[in-house]
Amino acid sequence: MTEQRTELDISLDQNIESEPLLNPLQKEQEAVQTPVDPTIPAKPKKKDKKTILLIGLVVFFVVMLILSSIAASIARSRLATTVVPTTNEPTPTAAPVINNLELPQVWRNKLMPGMNSLQDLIKIQNQDEFLPPQVDILIGAN
Amino acid sequence: MLLLFLLLIRSVFAAEGEISPTPNIATDSAMVSSPSATPVPTLIPTPTIDPVQQKIDQYTKDYQYNRDLYNQAYLEYINKKQIHTQYGTIITEKEKLEATRNVLIARNNMMRTYLLTLRVRLDKYISQNPTETEKLKIDINKWEAWFEEQKTVAKSLISATDFSKNAEDFKSKYTPIRRVISTALVQHQVNATRYTQSLLVPVITELSASDLKPEGQQLLSEIRVKLDLSSQSLQQALIKTGQNPNSSNFNDFYPDSKTNLIQAKDYISEVIQNLEGIIIRFTNL
């Protein structure tokens, strides 16, 4: 009797472990909701941490590579806009105003013998005006 | 992996350098400003003593000294005048007349030395318009003589009526004096600017004859236009000095003329800077 009960108990225990305790209605619903489609591949098994890390690194580097190539193309386009034309075509006619540049001695002598820089010529014009003094023209008048 | 990544990035930028010809500004400017292969002997200009400038400096000091004397005498005159107005005695009147005589003498001295300095300054750039400048110098010299004469006249003034008549006389004379002064100021600045132009024109001519790039030639033609504009401004400044000399009303034309003079000087400054740029950029010196 004891052995029989024991076998029965074991078999019951196995049933309980293998199948969750569901009522028949729930079993039917589950069967309707999750139809078995042979075309869908079975869910992959859980990947281990090493694989995930490796994939993450690869993705990271790929993204970085894309970003760097984008940055390089932007830099290239900017440089291309500042290229100085090297042909003999006349450039825009705005007169160059160059200050603080050393003038060659030969031209300095031609321009202003005895002067130190071209700016000395401007000083000639900007001398003091020597304006007349303020005078009281009515001194002695009543 | 990281090393590989860095190598990849580096290779991308290295490729950039090969593809796009980036202008090396530092190198370009160094090429532009580098001296010529054949070094030019640098002549250190010895300081030459300009006799005209020496005279100008000397007369300017003399004028400044006389101006200080006038200012002192004028303060004394104002003081004595107030005292006489307050007390009205014979003594205060005598002191006031004495102070008036002193300030008149000081004023005449100051004006004479001012005119003398102005006349000497005209000599500096007289070569630009000798005829008109000489005429002005003669006019100024006449007024110098008149002020010299007024010193004696001031010493002979005795009564308050004499001083009053003298003041009226001076007032009437001061209009043509101011006209001459303003004309001389304009003429002097016109001459100075024309002198600057005269230094620039041969350089422009020489640059035109040289083997300049089209851009340089284009800039030179613009410079010529600016020179013409400066000449026109100078001419306008001079035209404004041509008031009727017999008119008793004097409207000081100097501020108007000064506007034109400033325009002309601005054009010249631009010409100088542009010439400097052309020489440095386009010549092989």
Side-chain angles (χ1 to χ4, degrees), chain A residues 57-58 60-61 64-65 68-69 71-73 75-77 79-80 82-84 88-107 109-116 118-119 121-122 124-142, chain B residues 1-2 5 8-9 12 16 20-23 40 42-43 45 63 70 74 77 100 103-104 107 110-111 114 117-118 121 125 160 163-164 167 170-171 174 178 181 185 189 192-193 195-196 199-200 203 206-207 214-215 218-219 222 254 258 265 268-269 272-274 276-277 279-281 283 285:
Chain A
L57 272 171
V58 168
F60 170 74
F61 285 130
M64 286 300 288
L65 200 62
S68 64
S69 62
S73 65
R76 185 196 306 164
S77 64
L79 288 170
T82 56
V83 169
V84 175
N88 285 334
E89 289 172 14
T91 46
T93 58
V97 178
I98 300 169
N99 292 317
N100 301 322
L101 287 174
E102 194 64 31
L103 193 69
Q105 183 71 38
V106 161
W107 283 97
N109 290 340
K110 281 177 187 171
L111 274 172
M112 52 253 148
M115 293 184 197
N116 292 322
L118 256 178
Q119 304 305 318
L121 280 178
I122 297 172
I124 291 175
Q125 305 175 84
N126 296 337
Q127 292 177 54
D128 59 317
E129 295 174 68
F130 200 58
L131 295 171
Q134 292 290 323
V135 227
D136 184 353
I137 58 170
L138 293 172
I139 292 172
N142 289 324
Chain B
M1 287 287 277
L2 192 64
F5 172 69
L8 275 170
I9 297 293
V12 168
E16 287 301 319
S20 65
T22 54
V40 180
T42 53
L43 301 170
Y63 157 67
Y70 167 75
Y74 189 71
Y77 160 71
T100 309
V103 77
L104 285 179
R107 188 182 67 185
M110 177 183 71
M111 287 306 296
Y114 171 78
T117 314
L118 188 65
R121 285 168 73 97
Y125 305 111
F163 281 104
S164 187
F170 183 80
K171 191 182 169 186
Y174 198 63
R178 278 303 307 272
I181 289 171
L185 288 171
Q189 290 176 71
T193 311
Y195 171 71
T196 316
L199 290 173
L200 295 173
V203 178
E206 191 166 339
L207 278 173
E215 188 188 351
Q218 171 75 18
L219 291 171
E222 285 178 19
Y254 185 69
K258 183 71 190 165
K265 288 173 185 179
I268 294 289
S269 298
I272 289 171
Q273 287 179 333
N274 293 350
E276 201 171 8
I279 291 167
I280 290 166
R281 280 180 60 182
T283 61
L285 290 170

Side-chain angles (χ1 to χ4, degrees), chain B residues 9-54:
Chain B
I9 297 293
R10 192 179 157 192
S11 64
V12 168
F13 278 99
E16 287 301 319
E18 286 168 13
I19 292 164
S20 65
T22 54
N24 191 341
I25 295 162
T27 312
D28 287 354
S29 63
M31 281 171 68
V32 165
S33 63
S34 64
S36 60
T38 53
V40 180
T42 53
L43 301 170
I44 298 167
T46 51
T48 52
I49 299 164
D50 181 5
V52 176
Q53 190 58 48
Q54 270 188 326

Side-chain angles (χ1 to χ4, degrees), chain B residues 179-197:
Chain B
R179 189 176 288 126
V180 168
I181 289 171
S182 293
T183 308
L185 288 171
V186 173
Q187 186 68 57
H188 178 67
Q189 290 176 71
V190 167
N191 289 351
T193 311
R194 281 186 177 156
Y195 171 71
T196 316
Q197 286 179 334

Side-chain angles (χ1 to χ4, degrees), chain B residues 110-123:
Chain B
M110 177 183 71
M111 287 306 296
R112 186 185 56 78
T113 51
Y114 171 78
L115 289 170
L116 173 63
T117 314
L118 188 65
R119 181 165 57 86
V120 174
R121 285 168 73 97
L122 280 173
D123 280 334

